[in-house]
Amino acid sequence: MRLHALRLIAVLLLALGFAAPATPSFAQAAGHVRIKIVKAGLLVGGGAGSGVLTYRGKSYPFKVTGTSFGITVGATIGRLDGWASGIREVSDFAGAYSSVGGGFALVGGINGVHLRNEKGVTIVLQGPKAGLELAANISRITIAFR
């Protein structure tokens, strides 16, 4: 009797496994992001740069523009490297991102940023920067594919 019950449970579990909808492993794959950006400002800051998203084995070049409002003094050049998550389609990556952060660099320093857009894509970046900057601000960054 016990063996029969175990077989029945095994068959039911196997049937449920085949009946469950398969979710593709690529549903929300992460992408690798590399950006070079130049920033300058006095109270209101601005920046521009370019980067590459590597997603599902393909490279997508993009441009970055941004503004910041708050305490911003100085100019820096940064190279950032990180990951984008929450991408369902590559087009989700482009758009307007917002960030709240701050930083300090005198000749050299470390830069880090956490961004999120309206499509749910989150980008986490970090890397070295060179120049002179003191910042405590709210930033709005736009990414557009080239």
Side-chain angles (χ1 to χ4, degrees):
M1 184 73 170
R2 280 187 155 177
L3 186 59
H4 185 332
L6 288 175
R7 283 185 185 165
L8 181 60
I9 291 171
V11 168
L12 287 173
L13 289 174
L14 187 60
L16 284 174
F18 283 119
T23 55
S25 61
F26 281 58
Q28 288 190 349
H32 181 258
V33 180
R34 181 167 284 146
I35 297 175
K36 179 181 177 185
I37 192 160
V38 176
K39 299 187 326 181
L42 180 59
L43 296 181
V44 175
S50 61
V52 175
L53 166 68
T54 304
Y55 180 68
R56 295 185 180 168
K58 294 183 181 176
S59 295
Y60 300 91
F62 61 88
K63 63 181 180 176
V64 180
T65 56
T67 56
S68 60
F69 304 96
I71 302 169
T72 302
V73 178
T76 60
I77 297 173
R79 293 183 188 273
L80 302 170
D81 197 43
W83 297 96
S85 60
I87 302 172
R88 287 181 292 280
E89 297 179 22
V90 73
S91 61
D92 292 345
F93 182 75
Y97 288 81
S98 57
S99 161
V100 176
F104 174 77
L106 176 60
V107 180
I110 299 295
N111 201 14
V113 66
H114 187 115
L115 305 166
R116 185 171 177 89
N117 75 6
E118 66 275 2
K119 297 173 191 165
V121 176
T122 300
I123 303 174
V124 178
L125 300 164
Q126 65 179 14
K129 65 180 174 179
L132 172 63
E133 177 188 42
L134 171 62
N137 52 42
I138 299 171
S139 300
R140 183 143 177 99
I141 296 162
T142 302
I143 293 177
F145 287 113
R146 287 197 248 164

